[in-house]
Amino acid sequence: MALDSALFYLELPHTIQMAYAIQPLIDAAKQYLVSRYKDLTKCMQQEEVMALPLSEIEAILASDDLHVESEDVVARELVIEALLFKEQPPASLEANHRRFVERAYKLRHVTVLQVQLPWQQHHYVVGFNLKREECANLFPSGQLYSHPFHLGVHAFFLKAECNMDQQSSFHCFGLFLGMPENAYSAESSLAVDYEFTARSRPPEPIANEFLSKYKGNCTFTEGTVVGHKNMFAMPWNSFIAQDSLLFKDDVLHLKVRLTIKT
């Protein structure tokens, strides 16, 4: 058994007719991979391990013969690195490094932080970061939705889009907050104060801080959407330009502050 043959056997089609005939080969291939990589503390950083298909990595991690201090050790460092990358990709990473290439998600990742303050027990901050390339791809009429997130039992989403400002007749960047039409909640509506903020570089008055761009309040029910079609009060070309103050390391940093009114 060799690495190439082991990978070949594990990728064979698993049809009912072939299952009995190829099962011994599959078992032998898994045993070989486990024997080769059973000491993960020594080989975890090797490019050879990182290049293995997912099914082969699963076969290795499923083995009881791994030489690790505890199960917490298995892939922990890689998981932490992946989570940190999704939160804010380091600008210094090479774009073609396969270990850190981010997938083209249809729904964008958001972070939700509940702020516990004595006078505001239901205050949330939702982070919604977009790459310059993602923003550029919205032109002329594209939309990008966030993953649904919850405020208590109520589901919400954020939506970024490029749209036409009817008053000035130019394209611009819009940001919206909504409650899905099929959202399930124990209550029929939810009153929320919302504020859209964005991070900007100097020469804004407060360097690198999140500045308020739009705010209001609304009682949300299923299908309710609020927001601003021209959140930055500028045409699209100015918003997306290379010298735009809104992008830091080619990332647009947005935060939506939400307070549930009780």
Side-chain angles (χ1 to χ4, degrees):
M1 185 70 68
L3 180 60
D4 290 343
S5 56
L7 297 180
F8 173 76
Y9 295 145
L10 288 175
E11 293 300 320
L12 287 175
H14 294 185
T15 63
I16 297 178
Q17 294 80 2
M18 295 180 61
Y20 180 80
I22 67 174
Q23 192 60 49
L25 291 175
I26 294 174
D27 293 340
K30 290 182 177 179
Q31 183 177 359
Y32 170 81
L33 289 175
V34 171
S35 177
R36 184 182 179 98
Y37 301 119
K38 62 184 177 183
D39 193 347
L40 288 179
T41 59
K42 292 183 179 180
C43 66
M44 187 176 293
Q45 302 302 324
Q46 295 179 6
E47 190 66 24
E48 179 180 302
V49 179
M50 300 304 302
L52 291 175
L54 179 60
S55 58
E56 281 67 43
I57 295 178
E58 289 176 340
I60 295 171
L61 298 183
S63 171
D64 293 330
D65 296 328
L66 295 181
H67 292 181
V68 292
E69 293 181 1
S70 70
E71 291 185 352
D72 293 338
V73 175
V74 179
R76 178 178 58 186
E77 181 177 350
L78 300 181
V79 171
I80 292 175
E81 288 185 9
L83 291 175
L84 290 175
F85 177 79
K86 287 175 69 65
E87 174 64 21
Q88 185 169 339
S92 60
L93 292 177
E94 296 182 7
N96 61 351
H97 196 307
R98 68 189 306 276
R99 180 172 166 186
F100 293 101
V101 171
E102 189 172 17
R103 303 298 185 262
Y105 295 106
K106 292 183 178 180
L107 300 178
R108 200 67 178 89
H109 174 69
V110 295
T111 58
V112 181
L113 173 65
Q114 182 173 6
V115 182
Q116 298 291 347
L117 298 175
W119 62 93
Q120 282 186 339
Q121 294 297 327
H122 303 284
H123 183 70
Y124 299 82
V125 178
V126 183
F128 189 40
N129 297 339
L130 304 175
K131 297 179 182 179
R132 185 190 296 272
E133 180 182 0
E134 291 176 316
C135 293
N137 289 338
L138 295 177
F139 185 85
S141 58
Q143 299 177 336
L144 181 60
Y145 287 82
S146 75
H147 277 285
F149 58 92
H150 288 79
L151 306 183
V153 298
H154 296 267
F156 285 85
F157 65 87
L158 290 173
K159 179 181 68 169
E161 70 176 29
C162 176
N163 55 71
M164 177 69 73
D165 188 315
Q166 299 298 331
Q167 295 182 348
S168 52
S169 298
F170 56 65
H171 288 87
C172 50
F173 178 87
L175 184 64
F176 300 87
L177 169 70
M179 179 180 285
E181 291 186 358
N182 59 347
Y184 169 78
S185 65
E187 304 173 20
S188 58
S189 63
L190 186 68
V192 177
D193 289 335
Y194 57 88
E195 181 180 21
F196 296 170
T197 69
R199 191 177 190 179
S200 61
R201 298 183 288 111
E204 289 285 353
I206 305 177
N208 294 320
E209 292 291 336
F210 283 85
L211 304 179
S212 178
K213 298 297 181 181
Y214 178 68
K215 59 184 177 181
N217 57 76
C218 178
T219 298
F220 286 85
T221 57
E222 292 186 359
T224 300
V225 178
V226 298
H228 201 295
K229 288 188 175 182
N230 188 4
M231 196 176 83
F232 298 116
M234 64 176 67
W236 183 264
N237 289 342
S238 300
F239 159 73
I240 203 67
Q242 287 298 320
D243 60 352
S244 173
L245 300 178
L246 295 168
F247 289 88
K248 180 177 175 61
D249 297 327
D250 281 335
V251 176
L252 175 66
H253 298 269
L254 303 172
K255 283 185 179 179
V256 179
R257 305 181 187 276
L258 304 169
T259 303
I260 298 177
K261 302 173 66 175
T262 57

